[in-house]
Amino acid sequence: MLTTLQTAYSDTRAADLAWTLGREPLPALAVLDLRLGGAELQLRLLGASHQVLLQEEHGVCSETVACMPGSSTPLPLGVAKRLGDWEYEFAARVETLTQGQFAGRAQELLALVSDHPHGLAGTFPGSPYAFTAMLAQRIEGQVRWRTWHAYPQEGQLVVTRTRVGVRIPAPAV
């Protein structure tokens, strides 16, 4: 699903993004509710980037990647955590592209996500390449999502990847 977000573009630098787990739902500009197996997943586009809410029999998970005033947790390159019965893994990277590369990559990603039944993308007014996009899937009992946060004025694309799955206990020896 592709939508134009009715808000000013607020997080204008990739370096301003922060990551947190466990935040309450923030006001969203666009929402996509999904059921992936036994998991209820909500993809949320915020005025300041994204939030994912996951609920399953094993618990809940709330991931927020956004420009959050007062946040002291910058966007990490990687995180691995135990959340109750779950293993949570997060990875992020920043791609710096030329203007031509950026336009091509933006068009490719927006087409991919907008045509996908588990995808949500929102463009910000002012630039067709200022967007946040999210894509979710369930693979082998794990819920996974990817996100893309575009900063055309910097030629930067922030790409995140998250995996949440039930911990498999090690076999007893």
Side-chain angles (χ1 to χ4, degrees):
M1 177 171 91
L2 178 62
T3 186
T4 300
L5 301 172
Q6 301 303 314
T7 187
Y9 188 56
S10 63
D11 57 335
T12 58
R13 292 175 359 116
D16 292 339
L17 285 177
W19 166 89
T20 59
L21 279 177
R23 280 191 83 114
E24 292 296 316
L26 296 171
L29 300 172
V31 174
L32 179 62
D33 290 308
L34 300 171
R35 185 146 187 93
L36 301 175
E40 292 180 25
L41 190 68
Q42 188 175 75
L43 304 179
R44 303 167 59 83
L45 295 179
L46 312 176
S49 290
H50 89 259
Q51 187 172 50
V52 177
L53 306 176
L54 170 63
Q55 185 169 349
E56 201 174 31
E57 68 176 290
H58 299 285
V60 296
C61 175
S62 167
E63 173 190 279
T64 306
V65 172
C67 178
M68 295 174 283
S71 176
S72 60
T73 307
L75 192 63
L77 294 177
V79 174
K81 283 186 165 270
R82 284 189 176 170
L83 298 174
D85 290 340
W86 284 339
E87 291 286 345
Y88 169 92
E89 290 182 10
F90 172 87
R93 73 177 191 277
V94 177
E95 297 176 8
T96 301
L97 307 165
T98 66
Q99 190 173 18
Q101 290 171 325
F102 193 92
R105 184 89 165 111
Q107 290 172 348
E108 172 187 286
L109 289 169
L110 288 170
L112 168 74
V113 174
S114 63
D115 291 340
H116 197 284
H118 301 147
L120 176 63
T123 58
F124 292 89
S127 171
Y129 304 131
F131 68 90
T132 300
M134 309 169 74
L135 188 61
Q137 59 186 347
R138 186 173 184 103
I139 300 175
E140 299 173 359
Q142 298 176 340
V143 178
R144 300 176 182 201
W145 57 89
R146 297 191 62 183
T147 72
W148 299 269
H149 303 260
Y151 300 90
Q153 71 284 4
E154 295 183 313
Q156 291 188 322
L157 186 66
V158 177
V159 180
T160 74
R161 176 180 47 83
T162 302
R163 180 184 66 81
V164 180
V166 175
R167 254 189 309 133
I168 312 274
V173 185

